[in-house]
């Protein structure tokens, strides 16, 4: 969405009744505030190249040069007046602001605390004019089209304020950060920052004619944060309630100890907004635990009349007419982006790259790649059940129950089913895989220490924590089952036990079972008191039918005892399901056949959020051939 820049209106003083509507207050706190205001102005003027020159952390000098529309000589003096702006003229304009500035305050405020000069040459004018902000003297100057605002000796007349400034290095860092916030949202604009004669930062403008907005932004994000950020984040693009949310969300593994890489924009304005922060945070709830802070850059686009930018003098805060809608849109945008299993997305990306490189030369491999490039959205559903069916290509060799592997909701491992043949009856030879099949998580080759599955894929070695991965698969299955059940106003499908499992229970367990009987039934658990000190489990959720019923009952009762009111239970539902999933998941030291391991890998590829276990830790790691080679110093 290109920013509104032209046609430019004359700079006029705002009428008093409008002035009284504008959020007033201190805007200049430190050099970085000046930089932010001046860069805002250059962008409103349609600049494509912006140079910021600083001296002594910006305290001695801040000069911002642009190639924008410029200011007519007779308007230079007006630009420095309070409440003089070319951006709005009436209340309606104020309610649908599309520019960064609108108060007509910034230059006046800066001019009152520093020694300022405005040098500008509008398009079509033979010469530039320079206005001395202190004396009001206007003189001809040399300059190409555009404007330079020079701000010298900040706080020269208020030494007390100057004392509050930090070291030059710190003030410089804040100035760079101010420019960076603009750079992240305007890849089509080039930025350069000089400090004491040295170029300290430069972000080149993208060639807007050839690239789309997403690739332009990704390139800028790469330039600003480095390749790592792109590799460790997923694309966000979601529209809901007329609100579009784009950008990138860091994968849980890339989370940080501080919330210092969270950037949110509303209609290209950098904001600190509680609604957006909370929404993004809650999108990570199920995959990021503890105090880790996610990394993200999110761009929210919303009809300007649905957001009030006039709530804070520095415009860093905004108010949404309907915060709930924005919350939902942001939350779903990030949740969707994070849900897709990453191995699939990675394979899809590298397949697309390989496909471009190979240029349809190599028929068989292109065919297999096309599976992953069929959908270009990194959302869930890249893998259909058919991918798993392909894996079990040689179906005749498998016992009938194992066909369940191909079903996303199937119970894994098949061996748990007493009617399933033993592992020997699996066809464990590699002929199960047709040669043109590329599995993101590869083919299982071994089990290590009864804990890890080792697999081989195109990139190298994959190591999977089998319990953690399976726990997530069971958890996601339970969550979707309970959602379906809730929608149908029923409960999780459960399976009665032929012989109820009884156990000696504590008084708390007995009372919890009685008080929460309804919730337990909803969760597919039928637990009744057999005697004052004995509980009987009569039915368990079908998905968990193979596990230890008593252990499951005990953990769920313990979990329920923590939450008394039923409303709390509703909120704690995911925690309860997570506890249940732990019981349904394969335990360490269970010996798995290659087929069982492969079935687990295929389910991981299909299950949302399977890259993280229920506690937010990674379920698998990739070790590339390059890393293995480095380990053995091969090829040096
Ligand atoms: N770099 C620039 N190029 C062209 N015109 C500019 C530039 N900087 C300022 N102006 C003009 O000067 C006017 C006053 O700028 P100032 O920053 O004080 O107010 P504003 O941008 O309108 O509102 P705000 O106080 O919210 O920033 C602007 O409305 C604009 O017309
Ligand atoms: Mg301004």
């Amino acid at each position: 969405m290109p920013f509104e820049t032209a046609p430019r209106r004359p700079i006029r003083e705002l009428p008093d009744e409008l002035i009284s509507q504008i959020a007033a207050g201190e805007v200049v706190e430190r050099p970085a505030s000046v930089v932010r205001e001046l860069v805002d102005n250059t962008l409103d003027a349609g600049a494509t190249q912006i140079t910021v020159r600083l001296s002594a952390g910006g305290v001695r000098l801040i000069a911002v040069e642009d190639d924008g529309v410029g200011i007519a000589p007779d308007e230079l003096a007006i630009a420095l007046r309070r409440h003089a702006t070319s951006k709005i003229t009436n209340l309606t304009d104020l309610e649908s602001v599309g520019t960064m500035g609108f108060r007509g305050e910034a230059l006046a405020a800066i001019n009152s605390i520093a020694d300022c000069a405005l040098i500008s040459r509008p398009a079509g004018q033979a010469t530039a004019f320079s206005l001395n902000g202190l004396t009001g003297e206007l003189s001809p100057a040399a300059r190409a089209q555009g404007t330079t605002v020079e701000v010298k000796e900040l706080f020269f007349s208020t030494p007390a304020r100057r004392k509050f400034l930090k070291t030059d290095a710190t003030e410089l860092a804040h100035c760079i950060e101010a420019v960076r916030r603009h750079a992240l949202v305007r890849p089509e604009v080039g930025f350069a920052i000089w400090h004491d004669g040295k170029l300290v930062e430069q972000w080149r403008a993208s060639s807007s004619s050839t690239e789309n907005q997403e690739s332009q932004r990704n390139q800028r994000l790469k330039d600003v944060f480095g390749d790592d950020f792109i590799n460790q984040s997923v694309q966000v693009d979601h529209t809901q309630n007329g609100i579009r949310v784009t950008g990138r969300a860091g994968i849980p593994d890339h989370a940080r100890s501080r919330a210092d890489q969270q950037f949110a924009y509303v209609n290209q304005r950098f904001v600190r907004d509680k609604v957006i922060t909370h929404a993004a945070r809650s999108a990570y709830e199920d995959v990021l635990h503890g105090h880790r802070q996610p990394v993200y850059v999110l761009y929210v686009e919303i009809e300007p009349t649905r957001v009030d930018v006039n709530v804070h003098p520095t415009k860093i805060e905004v108010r949404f007419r309907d915060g709930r809608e924005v919350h939902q849109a942001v939350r779903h945008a990030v949740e969707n982006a994070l849900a897709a299993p990453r191995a699939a997305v990675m394979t899809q990306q590298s397949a697309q790259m390989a496909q471009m490189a190979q240029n349809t030369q190599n028929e068989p491999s292109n065919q297999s790649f096309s599976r992953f490039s069929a959908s270009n959205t990194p959302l869930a559903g890249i893998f259909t059940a058919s991918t798993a069916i392909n894996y079990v290509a040689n179906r005749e060799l498998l016992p009938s129950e194992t066909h369940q592997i191909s079903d996303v909701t199937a119970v894994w491992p098949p061996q748990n089913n007493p009617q399933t043949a033993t592992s020997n009856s699996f066809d464990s030879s590699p002929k199960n895989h047709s040669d043109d099949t590329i599995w993101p998580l590869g083919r299982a080759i071994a089990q290590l220490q009864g804990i890890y599955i080792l697999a081989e894929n195109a990139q190298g070695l994959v190591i999977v924590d089998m319990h953690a991965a399976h726990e997530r698969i069971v958890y996601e299955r339970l969550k979707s089952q309970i959602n379906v059940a809730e929608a149908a106003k029923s409960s999780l499908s459960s399976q009665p036990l032929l012989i109820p499992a009884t156990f000696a229970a504590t008084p708390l367990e007995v009372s919890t079972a009685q008080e929460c009987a309804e919730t337990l039934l909803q969760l597919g658990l039928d637990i009744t008191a057999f005697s004052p000190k004995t509980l009987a489990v009569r039915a368990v959720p079908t998905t968990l039918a193979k596990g230890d019923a008593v252990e499951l009952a005990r953990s769920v009762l313990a979990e329920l005892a923590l939450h008394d009111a039923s409303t709390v239970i509703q909120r704690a539902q995911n925690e309860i399901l997570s506890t249940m999933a732990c019981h349904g998941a394969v335990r360490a030291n269970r010996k798995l056949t290659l087929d069982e391991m492969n079935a687990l890998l295929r389910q991981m590829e299909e299950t949302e959020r399977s890259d993280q276990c229920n506690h937010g830790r990674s379920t698998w790691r990739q070790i590339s051939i390059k890393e293995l080679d480095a380990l053995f110093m091969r090829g040096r």
Side-chain angles (χ1 to χ4, degrees):
M1 186 175 72
F3 231 15
E4 201 177 295
T5 50
R8 184 178 174 280
R9 291 186 283 214
I11 309 176
R12 293 270 181 273
E13 291 190 18
L14 291 171
D16 286 349
E17 65 272 18
L18 195 49
I19 292 172
S20 62
Q21 298 281 315
I22 287 174
E26 204 65 65
V27 291
V28 183
E29 199 189 327
R30 61 189 335 161
S33 339
V34 174
V35 171
R36 200 204 53 226
E37 292 290 345
L38 297 184
V39 176
D40 268 0
N41 283 346
T42 64
L43 294 171
D44 284 344
T48 61
Q49 180 59 46
I50 297 160
T51 305
V52 180
R53 292 179 205 281
L54 305 161
S55 179
V59 180
R60 194 158 304 141
L61 170 78
I62 299 168
V64 176
E65 300 168 18
D66 68 55
D67 57 356
V69 292
I71 308 173
D74 57 339
E75 287 190 358
L76 285 170
I78 311 173
L80 289 182
R81 270 187 225 152
R82 283 199 72 194
H83 312 303
T85 181
S86 59
K87 298 169 192 175
I88 62 167
T89 56
N90 54 43
L91 199 58
T92 321
D93 290 347
L94 178 62
E95 283 167 355
S96 56
V97 169
T99 48
M100 307 295 279
F102 54 84
R103 301 157 313 167
E105 287 254 18
L107 291 183
I110 296 165
N111 192 43
S112 70
I113 48 158
D115 185 358
C116 291
L118 282 186
I119 305 122
S120 191
R121 178 169 160 190
Q125 193 177 285
T127 159
F129 278 89
S130 168
L131 176 80
N132 182 322
L134 204 61
T135 62
E137 190 189 330
L138 196 65
S139 51
R143 197 196 188 289
Q145 187 201 314
T147 306
T148 301
V149 181
E150 270 179 17
V151 180
K152 290 181 183 156
E153 303 302 333
L154 197 63
F155 303 131
F156 70 98
S157 57
T158 47
R161 306 247 340 241
R162 216 165 160 153
K163 274 199 213 120
F164 280 98
L165 297 178
K166 301 276 179 343
T167 61
D168 287 1
T170 302
E171 294 304 332
L172 171 65
H174 284 283
C175 292
I176 294 174
E177 181 60 18
V179 182
R180 195 163 78 139
R181 286 175 184 172
H182 285 103
L184 286 174
V185 69
R186 303 299 295 269
E188 75 285 9
V189 177
F191 295 85
I193 309 172
W194 294 77
H195 186 246
D196 291 335
K198 278 199 224 78
L199 182 67
V200 289
E201 204 64 81
Q202 184 169 33
W203 299 297
R204 290 179 200 286
S206 61
S207 48
S208 51
S209 53
T210 50
E211 293 169 294
N212 63 22
Q213 194 189 39
E214 183 182 297
S215 57
Q216 280 184 17
R217 280 205 174 139
N218 284 347
Q219 184 56 48
R220 178 54 62 85
L221 289 169
K222 217 185 228 183
D223 293 345
V224 173
F225 296 123
D227 287 352
D228 231 27
F229 176 78
I230 296 291
N231 298 337
Q232 308 269 31
S233 61
V234 289
Q235 198 74 42
V236 176
D237 193 346
H238 176 78
T239 304
Q240 184 177 345
N241 309 326
I243 300 158
R244 178 150 190 233
V245 185
T246 54
R248 290 192 79 85
I251 60 170
D253 246 11
H254 197 49
R256 296 161 71 87
S257 55
R258 290 192 303 136
D260 58 349
Q261 274 198 20
Q262 301 179 346
F263 295 82
Y265 293 84
V266 174
N267 293 343
Q268 306 203 345
R269 187 189 305 279
F270 176 84
V271 295
R272 292 225 175 281
D273 181 71
K274 288 203 186 79
V275 173
I276 298 178
T277 313
H278 187 270
R281 179 75 227 181
S282 47
Y284 278 90
E285 222 161 55
D286 217 7
V287 286
L288 191 64
H289 294 246
H291 300 292
R292 306 285 292 162
Q293 292 289 343
V295 167
Y296 54 78
V297 182
L298 298 175
Y299 308 101
V300 177
E301 281 164 52
I302 181 170
E303 171 63 38
T305 53
R306 294 172 69 187
V307 51
D308 187 359
V309 292
N310 180 29
V311 288
H312 192 270
T314 64
K315 304 166 196 142
I316 197 155
E317 285 170 27
V318 291
R319 193 183 298 127
F320 296 107
R321 302 256 183 267
D322 191 342
R324 267 174 67 109
E325 292 191 344
V326 176
H327 193 278
Q328 281 175 351
V330 173
R331 181 182 173 140
H332 289 152
V334 178
E335 251 173 20
N336 290 350
L338 292 171
R342 232 175 104 62
V345 178
M346 271 160 49
T347 307
Q348 185 191 17
Q349 282 167 353
S350 63
Q352 277 167 346
M353 266 148 63
Q355 199 167 30
M356 281 192 282
Q358 285 193 359
N359 208 5
T360 66
Q361 235 178 17
N362 185 341
E363 273 299 294
S365 63
N366 276 330
Q367 262 168 21
S368 61
F369 284 145
S370 64
R371 182 202 306 287
F372 301 104
S373 28
S375 156
N376 59 5
T377 141
L379 297 179
I382 285 170
F383 283 87
T384 58
S386 67
T387 50
I389 292 167
N390 277 0
Y391 163 63
V392 193
N394 212 338
R395 287 181 139 212
E396 301 75 19
L397 294 170
L398 300 176
S400 60
E401 282 77 12
T402 58
H403 286 182
Q404 289 178 344
I405 299 169
S406 64
D407 179 350
V408 187
T409 60
V411 175
W412 188 92
Q415 208 188 9
N416 269 348
N417 187 330
Q419 287 153 26
T420 305
T422 61
S423 52
N424 300 346
S425 61
F426 281 101
D427 177 32
S428 52
S429 74
K431 68 179 172 240
N432 264 346
H433 313 279
S434 50
D435 278 348
D436 66 351
T437 305
I438 293 184
W439 300 112
L441 290 174
R443 297 160 192 202
I445 45 182
Q447 187 180 15
L448 189 70
Q449 299 273 330
I451 296 171
Y452 299 107
I453 294 171
L454 305 186
E456 179 188 9
N457 69 356
Q459 289 81 38
L461 178 68
V462 169
I463 306 176
V464 174
D465 178 336
M466 68 177 200
H467 172 74
H470 192 229
E471 200 180 15
R472 168 63 76 171
I473 291 168
V474 179
Y475 174 46
E476 290 295 326
R477 190 183 304 142
L478 286 171
K479 273 200 302 185
S480 63
Q481 285 172 356
I482 206 144
N483 285 342
V484 171
E486 269 170 8
K489 302 225 178 315
S490 69
S491 44
L492 267 191
S493 93
S494 72
Q495 186 167 315
L497 300 182
L498 281 179
I499 307 154
T502 56
F503 62 101
T506 65
L508 181 63
E509 284 171 333
V510 176
S511 65
T512 311
Q514 282 165 343
E515 273 165 38
C516 303
E518 210 172 303
T519 311
L520 287 166
L521 284 176
Q522 253 170 5
L523 295 169
L525 270 165
D526 182 354
I527 306 173
T528 50
F530 205 64
S531 77
K533 286 184 176 171
T534 316
L535 286 175
V537 188
R538 296 177 191 277
V540 293
T542 313
T543 298
L544 307 175
K546 320 292 174 332
D548 181 330
V550 171
E551 275 301 303
L552 174 67
R554 280 217 158 107
S555 337
V556 174
L557 288 173
E559 191 82 46
L560 286 175
L562 293 175
H563 319 281
D564 33 22
S566 55
T567 51
V568 181
I569 289 168
Q570 193 59 38
R571 264 187 279 142
Q573 195 177 63
N574 281 358
E575 278 147 55
I576 298 168
L577 293 182
S578 168
T579 301
M580 291 166 72
C582 183
H583 287 274
V586 61
R587 303 266 133 193
N589 296 324
R590 251 283 313 277
K591 192 136 179 46
L592 301 182
T593 65
L594 281 177
D595 280 296
E596 287 175 316
M597 292 184 232
N598 277 315
L600 178 66
L601 296 176
R602 301 298 76 84
Q603 290 195 352
M604 286 174 70
E605 286 159 354
E606 292 172 339
T607 304
E608 294 192 338
R609 289 170 282 276
S610 62
D611 301 322
Q612 265 67 41
C613 79
N614 301 349
H615 317 285
R617 288 185 292 270
S618 287
T619 53
W620 66 280
R621 295 278 179 197
Q622 175 83 58
I623 300 181
S624 69
I625 291 290
K626 219 165 128 191
E627 286 165 307
L628 288 170
D629 284 349
L631 209 55
F632 295 97
M633 295 196 250
R634 256 183 91 99
R636 285 198 194 167

